[in-house]
Amino acid sequence: MLKSPHWTSETPNNPGWYWYRAPSHRAAMLRIDEHSVIDSAGEFADFQAVDLVGDWWSAQIKAFV
């Protein structure tokens, strides 16, 4: 169980929508699919989530649909 949401460098491992931020980018909401690939439009589309260097909001924003 998640104690409280926070920013972490750990890549989420469940499909869904998450906030992502990097030093060189503003925070963006990204969808991670069941294969850990970014499945949302924009500059991070089709990247493996683990390849992104930055922080993730630990709580899932909404379920993968």
Side-chain angles (χ1 to χ4, degrees):
M1 174 158 242
L2 190 63
K3 292 183 181 178
S4 63
H6 60 279
W7 289 100
T8 177
S9 60
E10 283 188 37
T11 304
N13 54 12
N14 293 319
W17 288 88
Y18 297 88
W19 281 105
Y20 168 77
R21 69 177 181 188
S24 59
H25 295 86
R26 294 183 294 174
M29 189 182 287
L30 301 177
R31 185 169 68 171
I32 298 175
D33 72 10
E34 62 275 0
H35 304 290
S36 296
V37 173
I38 303 301
D39 182 26
S40 48
E43 65 186 298
F44 301 117
D46 299 325
F47 277 73
Q48 286 285 327
V50 296
D51 292 338
L52 298 182
V53 178
D55 293 322
W56 295 92
W57 188 246
S58 62
Q60 187 181 71
I61 304 304
K62 54 186 175 178
F64 184 82
V65 181

